[in-house]
Amino acid sequence: MSLNGAQVRCILTRAGAQFITPLTLSSLSGEKVYSELFSHTDKNYMDHIRLSREADLIVVAPASADILARMASGIADDLATTTLLASNKPILVVPAMNTLMWNNPATQRNINLLKNDSIHFVDPEEGNLACGEIGSGRMANIQEIVLKINSVLYKEKPLNGFKGLITSGPTQEPLDPVRFISNHSSGKQGHALALAAAALGADVTLVSGPTSLINPQGIETINIKTAEEMLNACIHSLPVDFAICCAAVSDWRPIKIQDQKIKKQSSKILDKSKTTIEITENPDILKSLAQLSPDKRPKLLVGFAAETENILEHAGQKLIDKGCDWIIANNVSLDSDTFGNDNNQVTFIELNSSGELEHEEWPKSSKNVVAQLLLKKISQTLVI
Ligand code: PMT
């Protein structure tokens, strides 16, 4: 399966096969799907031992209340539970179930038992559940699971003891109680950066504009709406060792926020014939951080440049104008499909020792991989 280059083998339980077919899993993983503990046709009777020995990590996802109970009791009555019991590798459990089943004392007791046995968890989110109810129990999003996998697998935490600030998502600049100026940023890239930084051991503050993403577990998240609120939250989070401004901050905001919904016919801001809105420039957060005194300025300050034309030239100019150390040029033209998508193609830009702009094109990959590449570069620079 294309999980950042990992080879993935799936074990499908009898209950799991009610939701997904072995064919789907084998086409996604490019591997045989395992389900039988004792197969009459298969030559290898010791699949459970081989599967657990050959894996670096076992992920149980989605984990039902039933499998949690069987794992907690050490029951091994099918291939999945036998492989888990025979494992000496890290195990990551990603529960998904109905809210009442999740909150049931028996389930919570089993979770505590498993946590005491050093089993790792990504807790479920609140939201719409498969059973039609709404509440906690929905499986965590894939981004969180992938980054938790990295955090469990890669024991090395080079950013341990380092503090990072990351901005993510759009800002919303209100015009009246119901309307605002904003943009298409989903927060996926910024949140992936926060999780990648935390996976390397950094103490991360994520300042996020309004997105549909859940605040990542274990990361201090400050939710804001406007650029001014984002600037205040960033300043409040200082000092930090590194900052990454990935948020798509609105460059402008309406000069006046109307207390009541603006009526079409009686608008004071909207001239009926011209429909103009008076706007003013927002503070530039990246530039403000760059201009701080050396004791307050992040040691390493990274911006993102969202461009639709002359990408490298405009991004390089932004690095110089805003005074950050690195800038990540991002094509956001209509055909790039960058906003809201899971993938991204970026170019890393820095000034070399002779003061010339140098760039390095990174391959198109998932936003998680872009985040990991950038955080790797940050850790290599900060950790001497
Ligand atoms: O959120 P996704 O859907 O995953 O999409 C990711 C992304 C495309 C939003 C992200 O990868 C990206 O490119 N972010 C930068 C968006 C942006 O506002 O670019 P810009 O070129 O307008 O600004 C340049 C830099 O200045 C950015 O670091 C920005 O955060 C910062 N800025 C801009 C304006 C402002 N008033 N204050 C700022 O700090």
Side-chain angles (χ1 to χ4, degrees):
M1 198 177 284
S2 62
L3 185 75
N4 307 342
Q7 184 186 8
V8 178
R9 288 187 182 143
C10 300
I11 298 178
L12 186 58
T13 60
R14 211 168 302 140
Q18 304 295 320
F19 291 90
I20 193 162
T21 65
L23 185 63
T24 310
L25 285 179
S26 71
S27 5
L28 285 171
S29 62
E31 294 270 339
K32 176 186 163 184
V33 170
Y34 299 81
S35 44
E36 296 301 325
L37 182 54
F38 301 110
S39 164
H40 301 298
T41 49
D42 211 325
K43 283 178 241 124
N44 197 339
Y45 295 99
M46 286 294 156
D47 270 345
H48 58 291
I49 303 294
R50 187 172 61 83
L51 287 168
S52 61
R53 292 296 173 274
E54 288 178 1
D56 297 303
L57 169 83
I58 303 181
V59 181
V60 187
S64 62
D66 175 66
I67 200 160
L68 292 179
R70 287 189 290 146
M71 286 172 73
S73 318
I75 291 174
D77 59 356
D78 63 6
L79 183 60
T81 47
T82 311
T83 306
L84 287 161
L85 201 65
S87 169
N88 57 356
K89 302 291 169 49
I91 296 171
L92 174 65
V93 173
V94 190
M97 64 193 75
N98 167 273
T99 306
L100 292 178
M101 291 171 91
W102 171 250
N103 289 328
N104 190 295
T107 304
Q108 290 301 317
R109 204 167 41 242
N110 290 330
I111 289 168
N112 284 336
L113 283 172
L114 291 167
K115 284 187 176 168
N116 284 339
D117 289 344
S118 302
I119 304 285
H120 304 272
F121 274 80
V122 183
D123 285 343
E125 299 171 349
E126 300 236 341
N128 293 321
L129 306 173
C131 57
E133 291 181 11
I134 298 174
S136 59
R138 190 171 71 176
M139 191 169 93
N141 74 57
I142 301 299
Q143 199 174 53
E144 281 213 30
I145 301 169
V146 171
L147 285 145
K148 182 71 180 184
I149 288 173
N150 284 327
S151 140
V152 172
L153 274 182
Y154 304 116
K155 291 271 171 273
E156 244 179 76
K157 308 276 183 206
L159 288 177
N160 238 331
F162 287 88
K163 206 166 177 292
L165 166 68
I166 290 158
T167 69
S168 180
T171 63
Q172 286 181 356
E173 312 297 335
L175 182 57
D176 69 13
V178 295
R179 304 178 180 99
F180 54 79
I181 298 174
S182 191
N183 57 67
H184 297 297
S185 170
S186 64
K188 284 186 177 176
Q189 185 61 78
H191 281 52
L193 289 162
L195 287 158
L200 292 187
D203 174 8
V204 180
T205 301
L206 173 65
V207 179
S208 175
T211 73
S212 60
L213 303 176
I214 307 280
N215 288 344
Q217 290 173 28
I219 292 179
E220 189 201 350
T221 306
I222 306 175
N223 296 108
I224 54 79
K225 285 200 171 138
T226 66
E228 283 186 318
E229 287 166 5
M230 184 171 270
L231 175 65
N232 289 338
C234 288
I235 298 292
H236 184 75
S237 310
L238 299 175
V240 294
D241 298 290
F242 64 95
I244 312 173
C245 291
C246 183
V249 183
S250 174
D251 287 317
W252 306 280
R253 65 176 187 278
I255 285 184
K256 188 159 174 24
I257 306 171
Q258 299 297 315
D259 294 336
Q260 304 302 330
K261 183 181 173 193
I262 302 162
K263 298 286 175 214
K264 266 204 274 186
Q265 54 295 36
S266 66
S267 161
K268 291 198 185 87
I269 293 186
L270 299 170
D271 175 326
K272 268 168 96 182
S273 57
K274 287 194 266 165
T275 48
T276 49
I277 302 166
E278 279 191 66
I279 54 173
T280 185
E281 240 179 63
N282 260 331
D284 193 305
I285 299 162
L286 180 62
K287 197 169 183 174
S288 308
L289 293 176
Q291 288 174 347
L292 289 168
S293 56
D295 58 319
K296 295 210 181 88
R297 184 193 190 278
K299 290 187 195 82
L300 190 55
L301 181 57
V302 187
F304 268 68
E307 305 293 346
T308 55
E309 56 174 349
N310 302 327
I311 315 248
L312 296 187
E313 188 192 324
H314 288 168
Q317 195 56 49
K318 271 185 188 161
L319 181 150
I320 294 163
D321 293 345
K322 299 195 185 222
C324 56
D325 302 306
W326 301 342
I327 206 149
I328 309 298
N330 214 162
N331 181 351
V332 290
S333 57
L334 277 179
D335 54 2
S336 72
D337 223 10
T338 303
F339 283 121
N341 205 321
D342 289 334
N343 297 319
N344 205 355
Q345 199 279 306
V346 301
T347 303
F348 172 88
I349 305 179
E350 66 180 334
L351 282 172
N352 66 18
S353 48
S354 334
E356 289 154 356
L357 288 167
E358 263 184 9
H359 67 268
E360 184 182 300
E361 196 175 313
W362 290 357
K364 183 170 182 169
S365 44
S366 73
K367 286 181 177 168
N368 291 326
V369 169
V370 169
Q372 284 157 10
L373 285 173
L374 181 57
L375 265 301
K376 191 171 168 202
K377 243 182 190 321
I378 290 176
S379 68
Q380 283 165 347
T381 305
L382 289 178
V383 185
I384 305 157

